[in-house]
Amino acid sequence: MKILITCPRTEISKSIFDNLFSLKSAEVEYIFPKNQNFNSKEMEEIYNNHEILIVGDDKIDQDFLNSANSLKHIIKWGKGVDNIDKEFCINNNITVSNSPGKLAKYVAEHGISLINSLNKNIQLNINSINDGKWFKEPSMTLFDKTIGFYGFGEIANEFVKLLKPYNVNIIFYDIKTLNNNFKQLSLEEVFVNSDVLVVSSELTKDNEGEINTNLIKKMNKNSIIINISRGKIINEQDLISSLKNKLIRGAGLDVFDEEPISNNHEFLELENIVVTCHNASNTDEASKEVNEEIIKMIDKLL
């Protein structure tokens, strides 16, 4: 059995993977991208009759899959599989599995960091000090604010646990009617009433670009948007325009429409934004947990 691993987050558990592959007499290659992922053409170039792929955010589209004649199984590191052409795989008897692990708490932890970084002007403070200034700009607090969630799944549930010390008011919008201890509102009502709007929904064909100027301008001017799910849920040009025109106070983004973003992206020209490189769940602890899950999956396949 030939296996190709392209997700760098497996490296921390490489010795465990290798022990399993040795026991199962499997042949494995580790080929990691320099940036976030391999594109479809790059996947074609490194593919060599592998039967199992363990991938991260690599582009597994029809063009690549047409060239992967020996492929039988794809394991996606993490939960989201929107980078994989699942319909093609179904039609061609290629199994697709994900490994959701328990990443939600780490993503939520990162979301809290983005909120506090914006509220406390951390990036502006760093820039000011680097410029030789010592101006003590006033900041905002998270205490006693209203936090709205766009999508209330695992990440949102972990998020509210971390928010308990802040005595916040929780509201949310979700396409499903949920029975929990929080107030479910319409989409517009969540934007109108949120001091912090946390985007924590999966990406679907129906919600791509749904967060646009019409929704953002319903927020109060001191509010902020945090996106820790998928970049395409927000219309980026509308968000950039809203930030430039100060329709909202700021945004904290870990995900983007196209990744990685270019070094001349408009987001990088704005002072009222904090960006990170789709890295919210990237802790050693999370990587080890998901790798353990993948090892069990491979053990059953080999």
Side-chain angles (χ1 to χ4, degrees):
M1 187 75 74
K2 293 187 68 174
I3 301 169
L4 173 63
I5 301 180
T6 63
C7 181
R9 293 185 65 176
T10 59
E11 190 166 24
I12 194 170
S13 305
K14 186 175 183 297
S15 62
I16 304 174
F17 278 106
D18 286 344
N19 285 338
L20 175 62
F21 297 142
S22 178
L23 287 171
K24 299 289 185 176
S25 299
E27 181 182 341
V28 62
E29 288 185 88
Y30 298 86
I31 306 177
F32 301 143
K34 291 182 179 179
N35 289 313
Q36 178 166 303
N37 60 283
F38 288 121
N39 60 36
S40 177
K41 183 65 175 177
E42 290 168 331
M43 286 299 300
E44 287 184 44
E45 291 171 355
I46 63 175
Y47 179 79
N48 184 21
N49 297 318
H50 299 97
E51 295 159 277
I52 299 176
L53 295 184
I54 302 172
V55 301
D57 295 317
D58 311 294
K59 190 70 172 176
I60 310 298
D61 62 7
Q62 186 170 335
D63 288 339
F64 163 69
L65 291 167
N66 273 323
S67 69
N69 297 323
S70 301
L71 186 59
K72 297 177 180 177
H73 309 285
I74 301 172
I75 298 175
K76 168 64 169 62
W77 200 105
K79 184 176 182 180
V81 292
D82 46 279
N83 58 313
I84 301 171
D85 189 331
K86 297 180 291 296
E87 184 176 351
F88 182 97
C89 291
I90 290 170
N91 292 334
N92 289 274
N93 298 315
I94 301 170
T95 65
V96 177
S97 307
N98 66 351
S99 50
K102 296 180 180 178
L103 299 179
K105 64 181 180 182
Y106 303 110
V107 176
E109 177 186 35
H110 192 86
I112 293 285
S113 300
L114 290 174
I115 294 173
N116 285 327
S117 182
L118 282 166
N119 279 349
K120 297 297 183 179
N121 298 314
I122 301 298
Q123 189 61 55
L124 289 175
N125 219 247
I126 291 170
N127 294 342
S128 175
I129 293 170
N130 286 334
D131 289 339
K133 301 173 184 177
W134 201 257
F135 178 69
K136 298 181 184 294
E137 187 171 346
S139 62
M140 302 286 287
T141 183
L142 180 54
F143 286 100
D144 305 313
K145 295 298 189 291
T146 295
I147 314 300
F149 289 91
Y150 174 93
F152 206 90
E154 289 181 70
I155 292 173
N157 275 287
E158 293 294 336
F159 217 116
V160 296
K161 295 176 186 177
L162 299 177
L163 287 169
K164 283 182 180 179
Y166 293 97
N167 192 39
V168 297
N169 175 42
I170 302 293
I171 59 176
F172 73 95
Y173 162 77
D174 198 283
I175 58 173
K176 299 177 182 177
T177 300
L178 304 177
N179 294 315
N180 54 35
N181 295 324
F182 310 111
K183 192 171 185 179
Q184 184 166 8
L185 301 174
S186 70
L187 180 59
E188 289 191 1
E189 287 173 327
V190 167
F191 276 78
V192 168
N193 291 287
S194 296
D195 297 307
V196 178
L197 190 284
V198 179
V199 183
S200 50
S201 168
E202 293 183 355
L203 175 66
T204 68
K205 292 180 181 179
D206 295 326
N207 69 8
E208 184 170 338
E210 184 170 36
I211 298 177
N212 55 22
T213 300
N214 290 333
L215 281 174
I216 295 172
K217 68 183 181 182
K218 296 180 184 297
M219 303 181 75
N220 71 71
K221 292 186 182 300
N222 275 324
S223 61
I224 61 176
I225 290 177
I226 304 296
N227 191 357
I228 48 174
S229 57
R230 285 294 184 264
K232 290 182 182 295
I233 295 173
I234 300 179
N235 182 309
E236 283 195 353
Q237 287 304 312
D238 283 5
L239 178 58
I240 289 167
S241 176
S242 298
L243 291 169
K244 285 182 176 179
N245 294 312
K246 296 187 171 18
L247 296 185
I248 55 174
R249 182 165 51 87
L253 309 175
D254 185 54
V255 289
F256 306 89
D257 194 342
E258 297 293 335
E259 299 177 3
I261 62 173
S262 64
N263 58 9
N264 62 350
H265 196 289
E266 285 185 90
F267 281 145
L268 305 181
E269 299 172 3
L270 302 173
E271 289 192 337
N272 54 345
I273 191 168
V274 174
V275 297
T276 54
C277 56
H278 200 154
N279 210 39
S281 70
N282 195 359
T283 67
D284 287 352
E285 293 83 358
S287 295
K288 290 175 182 177
E289 288 173 16
V290 174
N291 289 339
E292 287 175 6
E293 187 174 330
I294 291 175
I295 286 166
K296 292 177 182 178
M297 295 164 68
I298 295 173
D299 190 25
K300 291 181 180 179
L301 290 174
L302 295 179

